[in-house]
Amino acid sequence: MGVIAGTAGALAPILTKRPGGTAGPALERFAETYRGRYIQGTARVTMPARAAGRVRAVGDAMTVAAVRDAEVRIDGRPLHVMRRADGSYLSLVNHYESFPTLLDAARAAVDELGDAQLSASPLHSL
């Protein structure tokens, strides 16, 4: 019985994923040239199954906790970003500063990078 429950728990995220491969509605999406660098980003929301029928406003504590995918690219290279508990963002380049929007975090990273490039390979975890 435990094997079935464990398998069901492991497969739940796959089986409940929305059609089309998207995580949910975009909270923020941008693509622009800033200081000669092409930046683009998206933050998506994943709604928990128990709250799928509820409509929530951006900035609501449940919405902040539900942000699952935040992606930023600078000149096509990935910038690692994270969402903080207060809803702001930080990046690997500016990890001691918080920014109110994903766009602000991307622009601050460009300012900090200057002429340097981000690594072409994504981060690896141990």
Side-chain angles (χ1 to χ4, degrees):
M1 189 67 156
V3 173
I4 294 170
T7 303
L11 291 175
I14 297 167
L15 298 175
T16 59
K17 192 170 185 179
R18 294 176 183 227
T22 61
L27 280 177
E28 185 177 357
R29 181 178 303 219
F30 60 87
E32 69 175 32
T33 300
Y34 175 74
R35 295 193 172 193
R37 310 290 286 272
Y38 182 65
I39 58 174
Q40 61 192 81
T42 304
R44 294 189 181 280
V45 175
T46 300
M47 300 264 198
R50 66 187 185 329
R54 275 189 21 193
V55 175
R56 294 176 291 192
V58 172
D60 178 330
M62 288 293 289
T63 302
V64 170
V67 169
R68 177 123 176 191
D69 301 317
E71 180 182 4
V72 172
R73 293 190 172 273
I74 299 175
D75 294 333
R77 296 177 179 212
L79 171 68
H80 183 71
V81 293
M82 294 175 283
R83 184 93 183 232
R84 296 173 47 97
D86 65 1
S88 63
Y89 293 91
L90 61 90
S91 75
L92 190 60
V93 174
N94 301 84
H95 58 272
Y96 292 114
E97 289 183 72
S98 295
F99 302 94
T101 68
L102 201 54
L103 177 59
D104 291 334
R107 287 177 176 170
V110 167
D111 292 341
E112 188 68 28
L113 285 169
D115 293 334
Q117 291 288 327
L118 291 170
S119 172
S121 63
L123 293 174
H124 297 282
S125 61
L126 298 174

